[in-house]
Amino acid sequence: MIGFEIHTRRRAVAANIVAKYVGLPVANISDVMSRMTAGGPRLRPMHDGSFMAGPALTVRTRPGDNLMVHKALDLAAPGDVVVVDAGGDLTNAIIGEIMVSYAKSRKLGGIVINGSIRDAGALRRGDFPVFAAGITHRGPYKDGPGEINCTIALDGMTIEPGDLVVGDDDGLLCIPYDQVDAIYEAAKGKHAAEEKTFANIAAGKHDTSWVDARLKALGVIK
């Protein structure tokens, strides 16, 4: 039927790669990706801030409808992050406490909703990662259409099934499947450099000479 498709995911980032990313600041990952990739500032953590990382199981659904999201939760493997493009519409919630409880019982890695959630208080007190664009008490419809394991885009950030999705208090980021190793090594180096900076600040050795050097190059100071 047109508009209803369930595809087979052909590949997914391995669990040992996911584990290496856990706790690595999303801002550091973003920096080494040239700050060109983001899921949009509306996608915020709706849970207690616990780190999220896992291979994407993608869903595209009609705004306000969660039929195919229910099916995606059944299909998802432990550790998967179900990423839902619901068009960014905030009128009706796509998930709430019941669906999140079910996802947690299946040991999924998290849920991302480009749309609204409800039962915000219960989700906020929980440690199961949920990122969404808004909150509303109005519930969803269950009619479709929708598509599972397709290419989606959130505010220009393309997500292919099986890509690595990470999230923390700064927001959401997708790392393409073919780049997870190279980006991890670069982000690990970036994080180590920042940790050294914090140590220098604490020791009173923070070097800010680059500021004047930059201003001189711009002709601001002589």
Side-chain angles (χ1 to χ4, degrees), residues 121-194:
L123 270 58
R124 191 178 301 116
R125 291 188 294 272
D127 60 0
F128 184 84
V130 177
F131 286 74
I135 299 168
T136 179
H137 54 79
R138 297 176 65 176
Y141 301 103
K142 294 173 171 58
D143 305 304
E147 191 172 2
I148 295 174
N149 281 327
C150 57
T151 302
I152 61 174
L154 308 182
D155 201 25
M157 183 175 71
T158 302
I159 304 175
E160 299 278 356
D163 284 350
L164 177 60
V165 178
V166 296
D168 64 12
D169 285 332
D170 283 335
L172 188 76
L173 188 60
C174 175
I175 298 100
Y177 177 91
D178 293 329
Q179 299 177 29
V180 290
D181 290 322
I183 289 174
Y184 170 73
E185 292 301 327
K188 183 174 69 171
K190 173 68 174 177
H191 184 51
E194 287 198 354

Side-chain angles (χ1 to χ4, degrees), residues 13-128:
V13 173
N16 65 310
I17 300 296
V18 175
K20 292 198 298 185
Y21 272 87
V22 172
L24 192 61
V26 170
N28 291 160
I29 304 170
S30 179
D31 283 347
V32 303
M33 294 177 71
S34 299
R35 301 165 183 165
M36 291 288 289
T37 303
R42 293 203 310 164
L43 291 173
R44 309 305 306 162
M46 298 290 174
H47 58 294
D48 70 354
S50 298
F51 193 85
M52 180 181 73
L57 190 151
T58 61
V59 183
R60 181 186 295 119
T61 186
R62 178 171 66 92
D65 192 287
N66 75 355
L67 176 62
M68 295 300 266
V69 182
H70 280 278
K71 183 59 179 177
L73 294 182
D74 286 338
L75 293 174
D80 281 351
V81 174
V82 175
V83 186
V84 182
D85 180 8
D89 183 80
L90 305 181
T91 307
N92 295 82
I94 300 297
I95 63 167
E97 184 179 8
I98 290 175
M99 293 178 74
V100 168
S101 296
Y102 178 56
K104 185 174 182 178
S105 76
R106 301 202 66 241
K107 303 186 185 306
L108 303 192
I111 302 176
V112 177
I113 305 292
N114 186 23
S116 284
I117 57 97
R118 69 177 182 177
D119 304 324
L123 270 58
R124 191 178 301 116
R125 291 188 294 272
D127 60 0
F128 184 84

Side-chain angles (χ1 to χ4, degrees), residues 1-6 67-68 143-147:
M1 182 183 297
I2 295 174
F4 287 88
E5 295 282 351
I6 298 177
L67 176 62
M68 295 300 266
D143 305 304
E147 191 172 2

